[in-house]
Amino acid sequence: MSRSANPRASRGAAALGGPSSVVETACPLDCPDACTLAVTVDRGKVVEIDGSHKNPVTDGFICAKVRKFGERVYGADRILYPGVRQGRKGDGAFKRVGWDEALALVADRFTRAKADAGGASILPFSYGGSNGLLTQDNLDAQLWRRFGTSRLARTVCAAPTGAANQGLYGKMASVTYQDYPHARLIVLWGVNPSASGIHLVPFVRDAQKRGARLVVVDPRSTPHTHAADLHLAIRPGTDVALALAVHRYLFTLGHADGRFLREHTRGADQLRERAEPWTIAKAAEVCGLEEADVERFAALYAQSSPALVRCGWGLERNRNGGSAAAAVLALPAVGGKFGVRGGGYSMSNSSVWNIDRTWIGAEEPQTRLVNMNHLGRALTEYNDPPVKVLFVYNCNPAVTVPDQRRVLRGLEREDLFTVAFEQVMTDTARYADVVLPATTFLEGYDFAKAYGPIHLELARPVVDAVGEARPNADVFGDLCARLGLLVGDEPAGELDLMVRVLDALPGTIGDKLRAGELPSPPFGTSPIQFVDVFPNTPDRKVDLFPAALESEATIGLYRFQPDPATAAYPLALISPSSDRTISSTLGELPRTDVTLLMHPDDAGERGLSAGDLVRVFNDLGEVHCTLAVAAAIRPGTISLPKGLWRRSTRNGFTGTALVPDALTDLGGGACFNDARVQVASLAMA
Ligand SMILES: Nc1nc2c(c(=O)[nH]1)N[C@H]1C(S)=C(S)[C@@H](COP(=O)(O)OP(=O)(O)OC[C@H]3O[C@@H](n4cnc5c(=O)[nH]c(N)nc54)[C@H](O)[C@@H]3O)O[C@H]1N2
Ligand SMILES: Nc1nc2c(c(=O)[nH]1)N[C@H]1C(S)=C(S)[C@@H](COP(=O)(O)OP(=O)(O)OC[C@H]3O[C@@H](n4cnc5c(=O)[nH]c(N)nc54)[C@H](O)[C@@H]3O)O[C@H]1N2
Ligand code: SF4
Ligand SMILES: [Mo]
């Protein structure tokens, strides 16, 4: 019997039973805001989820999607018990079994696969389903490392922006939401906080009320573009050209900050050289913008201080994404925008805590590294060894990674043993041989880490686990025990692990979390760049031309790869975050917003009108859905929401069916927005 196979003891506020009470916890989903939540619990059930006032950034409000999270917790799609497949892969029919039987089967398959084809024939597959410190890179990592499975490069998101930020600044802490009101110019570059991080919105508005100018760089209209002084509706994948044109403007017109460049940077000459070809006129042409608008933007940036660039993730999801992020992040160094509150750059702050995951009780072995964007290839082509066992958790790759058709073909393989450890019956879980029910964040502990503001918070269970769901740490601890991989009295479950993490966190962070506070790093919640924080590069300087990036980048750093459009597939399909889901999480709930957005010119050319049923297609796949026509997107670009479930479209394929599994120029990221497609009426097909 394993150390933690017993059903979980009743715990948390739910154990109190009785009349309704409000319990505080935190939202650990993959959203920059990490809200503090006030959850009303009545007779052991969640009845309302709202924002708490304890956290000044949350400020008493949360997004509509997490307000509805109770519908997921108690919904029809929730997985309540472990199950073993009945019928064909993809049917989603399972026979209920006990935890003991399910985990014994999984452990047996692991052992057999390792004996037959080596540990690398097992592929663990995960991303940021719950983004906290307990649900990933923990006992899961310990299991994979000690068992010697393949390793996973977690590159589906933030790989190019992360590589650029690491290369230029060593991932220095960036400007947090709280300091936006100090800015005189805010540039929202490839980011749409009105959907993807709503707590930034009031700070941007506040800045505008105080007179700040707002520039938005986005091929679509968003609530921010309506309020902007300048909307640059850029052609997707061309941001590197725009950013380099601004650099060239700064250098050639005497707006570059020579003193800052001398004292705090390296590589300015090489950057300047790469920017040289990008005149305003050339950039405008490549980016599909008016010359006058590009020039106005460059002049505004040159003249404003504090000037703040928020570098989002929309600009990274293409062949030029790494160079684009690097060129955007280099702007404040060249323009001399650091050193003042509200000036500099703002992006993911997820790695500024300096938290060493000492709680992973094993070194990483140098086993095969699989890029998660190549899952389809790995399942259908890799042979040395082939993937025999796939263990999916915190992730829904049947709909979220590139080349959906190939991924599904791989998942259909009869000789593949797939485990899905999931909260709900996702499109991926339907292909599993064994499903294991996971708790949601309302049923377990986690550490929610904000990456827009900077704070940590302990998420606590507010209700008992639904059905027989168990938290990640319990299940990975159990598997470690079954496979003889626990050493001494190492934690084998969530509670022990939580205590170990609390003890291992640097300084007084653990004590503050225990006391229910929201600790921040030593430099506080709103650092000024180059006053409170400096680059974490070896010489503490900004590296404007990192050698490592120059040699990694597909055709060199700050260089432009042309659009992949062809005559057959001329339209650029983008798939931005929507306010209905977090990636595909909550995508199971009924929705009416699943339409393909197209500009009236493109619709007219194709004889299409709003409400038509259309097929969006290329050589990789095809999606059938309803058309929406509006000038809210630039001509030549069309948009489908990110994170759709297969049930949301007419033919069971989603945007990722049209996405090539090509990798970004830096970081091995996904090129979601390099999908080039054609659209036609379904009636005419
Ligand atoms: N509601 C909600 N919130 C979320 C998420 C969600 O799915 N839903 N996802 C979370 C996650 S995992 C992430 S990574 C973040 C992402 O959040 P964001 O950084 O906002 O990224 P996206 O939503 O991918 O795209 C942002 C904007 O970029 C635009 N865009 C697309 N291509 C380009 C381009 O080539 N250049 C430029 N300049 N703009 C482009 C899109 O039209 C979109 O408006 O949000 C997090 N928050
Ligand atoms: N077309 C297109 N696709 C995209 C993008 C795009 O721009 N366009 N963006 C991409 C981005 S930014 C990202 S980050 C990825 C994200 O893609 P995924 O990592 O697949 O994220 P989710 O779709 O949210 O799926 C997470 C799953 O983890 C489960 N889960 C949550 N918490 C736990 C837990 O504690 N334990 C276990 N066992 N399971 C848990 C949830 O139920 C959910 O089904 O999607 C990418 N997909
Ligand atoms: S998803 Fe984001 S905005 Fe919504 S509750 Fe969670 S942290 Fe807050
Ligand atoms: Mo993401």
Side-chain angles (χ1 to χ4, degrees), residues 30-31 127-128 156-158 313 316-317 451 577 582-583 642 672:
D30 192 352
C31 165
Y127 197 70
V156 74
C157 173
W313 292 271
E316 75 163 20
R317 311 191 197 287
Y451 59 92
S577 311
I582 288 276
S583 295
K642 155 191 171 187
F672 292 111

Side-chain angles (χ1 to χ4, degrees), residues 109-119 121-122 147:
R109 284 309 195 109
F110 275 27
T111 311
R112 276 168 46 193
K114 188 172 179 175
D116 291 350
S121 67
I122 301 164
F147 204 68

